[in-house]
Amino acid sequence: MEELRKPIGRRSLLKAGGFVAATGTLGWLGALVTGVGTGSNQRKRARWVKTVVRPTLGETNADYKRFSGFDMFALYRPLKTQHEGTGSFEAEQVSKAKRLIAWTNEKKPGFSLPDQKLSEGAWTVMRSSRPGTGLLSWTRTPGRTSTEPSAQRYTASPEEMANTVKAAARLYGARLVGIAPMNESYVNLQVPRQDEKEKDKDIVFEDVDVPEVTDTKFVIPRKMKWVVAIAIPMDIELLARTPTPLGDAASALGYSHSAFVVSSLAVFIRGLGYEAIPCVNDTAQSIPFALDAGIGELSRLNKLVTPEFGPAVRLCKVFTDLPMAYDKPVDFGLVEFCKTCKKCAEVCPSRALSFDDEPSFKTKGPWNNPGHKTWFEDSYKCFEYWQKSGSACGVCLASCPYTKGDQAWIHEGVKAIASIAPATDGVFRIMDNAFGYGKQHDPEQWWTKDQPSDRRG
Ligand code: SF4
Ligand code: SF4
């Protein structure tokens, strides 16, 4: 896939001319520190992305424990009932459904029938993937890979193994790939039931040779000490149409691509004679593994921001016993930038994101896992807005100054300077606004003008 590119128009350049003049020296300096590096976890990475010993944000304390595995989708209904009484959730769903029908009939931009069905199509692969079965199977499937793990075992140095696995992952559609050590505390306690007839199942680590899924538990072999952490870019033209059902297709497609990439990579690894467990959002927290693998830094969004695609990525991972060289966390100045930027918090329609100057250990609700330092978000407010807007929003992702996905000199220079000179961060935030980034694009134009399939990552 090609790099995302968005040419800067003449008008935008003129508009930002004053800032460019004011920061001309910085831009020149930026050019000096910009360039393609040879970071071990990516084929090409800019020089201003430095490796560090531990992630810049996300430190843990004694309260940090394995997370329950229950996300906002499961928590929202009981919380809504607790806040607003019995029947409030059901009433909200009825009024949301009516609103969506009315908006479709009115042809509200971004809510037409094709806009809504685009997401449904994009979800297809992810919605046919469940932890432990089908695409996300934890075991060898006769006909797809040898059922004998050691029938043919490929061996090479840990560095060569890492390169081989990363090359395969990139071929399948990953854009950023890193190798992190397994950390059992990042793995969820349970796989929540998928429907009323099922039970929640515990996730346990045992000294066994192969992964196992039984009626009561998911078993991860303790010998699985390597995690392939992967980022899949989201389509920024769709993301620029949030909050609408049309914009939702960016997330949906990111999830389906994730399921495709991890399932393909798991079959590849099994074919080399090792075990592999493919996961999307299920089974474990993707963000801490991605931090340890150097995919990006933790941000004010309490999400990962990558140097190349900002927060506009979906994360997924594969656990394996295939020995590989580990990557290191990275620092590109994001945490300092987030302290002054606050753009995501300002544009959030539900005021769900933190305005605090400094990150802290103070959680906002049961959706947060305590014991790590970050800017915690109010997921209840966020989810409530999803119901009101009839979309999965994503305005915060679209607005981040790092969500450009392009290599235009101005952005590379700006990001390079931000990585070494936090005092200039306010200027860069102003420049980002001047260029008009983060503004919603016309949903109707997507169908005639801005279809992006050849520019996605
Ligand atoms: S998805 Fe929307 S409502 Fe939720 S935090 Fe982001 S901007 Fe706010
Ligand atoms: S919008 Fe600004 S504050 Fe928010 S994540 Fe991006 S850089 Fe950080």
Side-chain angles (χ1 to χ4, degrees):
M1 284 180 281
E2 291 175 13
E3 292 292 341
L4 264 167
R5 285 177 199 281
K6 179 178 179 183
I8 300 171
R10 186 170 164 268
R11 193 184 166 90
S12 297
L13 270 172
L14 289 172
K15 211 170 157 190
F19 293 109
V20 173
T23 56
T25 309
L26 290 175
W28 178 77
L29 274 171
L32 282 183
V33 290
T34 303
V36 173
T38 51
S40 61
N41 73 331
Q42 321 303 338
R43 187 172 284 173
K44 291 176 182 176
R45 204 152 213 192
R47 287 200 190 104
W48 43 269
V49 183
K50 302 174 207 87
T51 55
V52 288
V53 176
R54 61 183 64 84
T56 47
L57 180 58
E59 70 180 89
T60 56
N61 64 20
D63 293 335
Y64 191 79
K65 297 190 178 59
R66 287 174 63 186
F67 193 53
S68 68
F70 290 88
D71 62 17
M72 205 52 210
F73 287 93
L75 291 172
Y76 183 69
R77 185 180 191 149
L79 285 173
K80 182 87 184 167
T81 308
Q82 188 187 318
H83 290 174
E84 295 178 28
T86 308
S88 54
F89 171 81
E90 290 72 13
E92 186 179 60
Q93 296 309 303
V94 170
S95 94
K96 175 182 162 187
K98 282 188 190 158
R99 228 173 15 251
L100 276 174
I101 291 169
W103 287 342
T104 309
N105 293 338
E106 289 163 17
K107 295 195 170 50
K108 181 175 173 174
F111 288 78
S112 71
L113 199 59
D115 290 334
Q116 295 188 36
K117 298 304 160 187
L118 195 71
S119 277
E120 279 183 30
W123 271 116
T124 307
V125 175
M126 186 65 231
R127 288 207 168 132
S128 25
S129 311
R130 296 175 49 178
T133 62
L135 280 181
L136 300 183
S137 173
W138 283 30
T139 53
R140 291 161 183 274
T141 314
R144 280 168 74 196
T145 39
S146 162
T147 49
E148 286 299 320
S150 55
Q152 263 190 322
R153 176 162 280 188
Y154 179 73
T155 53
S157 72
E159 289 73 22
E160 285 169 318
M161 285 291 208
N163 281 336
T164 302
V165 167
K166 288 172 187 177
R170 281 193 290 264
L171 174 75
Y172 298 138
R175 279 306 301 274
L176 303 172
V177 196
I179 311 298
M182 169 58 82
N183 185 327
E184 294 187 16
S185 68
Y186 302 164
V187 176
N188 296 342
L189 283 169
Q190 289 175 313
V191 174
R193 75 193 82 167
Q194 305 284 316
D195 60 50
E196 294 302 317
K197 284 178 253 151
E198 291 184 348
K199 288 193 176 131
D200 307 328
K201 291 186 189 177
D202 291 339
I203 303 174
V204 296
F205 285 83
E206 292 181 3
D207 290 319
V208 291
D209 277 337
V210 293
E212 213 183 322
V213 179
T214 73
D215 288 344
T216 55
K217 62 184 179 179
F218 284 68
V219 183
I220 301 174
R222 282 219 172 82
K223 64 177 186 173
M224 289 192 144
K225 296 194 182 302
W226 292 266
V227 178
V228 187
I230 291 166
I232 313 276
M234 292 163 76
D235 190 302
I236 58 172
E237 287 293 346
L238 285 170
L239 208 54
R241 269 81 181 177
T242 54
T244 64
L246 176 66
D248 290 352
S251 281
L253 202 57
Y255 280 118
S256 282
H257 282 157
S258 299
F260 173 82
V261 172
V262 293
S263 61
S264 304
L265 192 64
V267 171
F268 173 72
I269 290 172
R270 288 176 196 138
L272 299 183
Y274 299 86
E275 298 305 320
I277 295 177
C279 324
V280 184
N281 268 4
D282 57 281
T283 308
Q285 303 297 301
S286 296
I287 293 174
F289 282 125
L291 290 172
D292 290 351
I295 303 287
E297 285 184 79
L298 194 56
S299 68
R300 177 175 294 280
L301 292 159
N302 195 19
K303 288 187 170 58
L304 191 89
V305 168
T306 66
E308 293 83 1
F309 305 102
V313 290
R314 287 287 151 203
L315 301 175
C316 48
K317 61 271 179 190
V318 177
F319 301 159
T320 182
D321 59 345
L322 187 156
M324 288 172 284
Y326 297 126
D327 287 299
K328 291 197 175 80
V330 292
D331 178 355
F332 54 98
L334 178 80
V335 177
E336 290 307 311
F337 191 93
C338 282
K339 285 180 186 174
T340 53
C341 171
K342 301 184 181 176
K343 187 172 180 182
C344 51
E346 285 164 18
V347 299
C348 171
S350 70
R351 286 288 185 262
L353 298 173
S354 171
F355 279 91
D356 293 350
D357 289 337
E358 296 290 332
S360 75
F361 285 91
K362 202 161 168 266
T363 57
K364 296 269 172 65
W367 49 84
N368 294 139
N369 197 23
H372 71 285
K373 195 174 184 184
T374 185
W375 281 283
F376 284 104
E377 76 284 32
D378 190 331
S379 294
Y380 182 81
K381 282 187 184 167
C382 169
F383 218 72
E384 200 172 39
Y385 180 73
W386 289 20
Q387 313 311 309
K388 277 188 202 141
S389 67
S391 78
C393 190
V395 166
C396 49
L397 307 183
S399 73
C400 178
Y402 283 85
T403 303
K404 299 297 176 294
D406 60 40
Q407 301 295 313
W409 68 270
I410 187 85
H411 301 125
E412 290 309 291
V414 163
K415 289 191 278 188
I417 290 296
S419 72
I420 56 170
T424 58
D425 292 349
V427 177
F428 299 145
R429 161 70 207 271
I430 294 165
M431 281 181 70
D432 195 74
N433 286 350
F435 272 81
Y437 287 110
K439 290 203 175 133
Q440 197 198 36
H441 294 192
D442 179 355
E444 285 171 357
Q445 282 197 357
W446 186 85
W447 293 96
T448 53
K449 199 167 152 243
D450 293 329
Q451 292 140 21
S453 53
D454 60 338
R455 297 199 295 274
R456 181 189 50 75

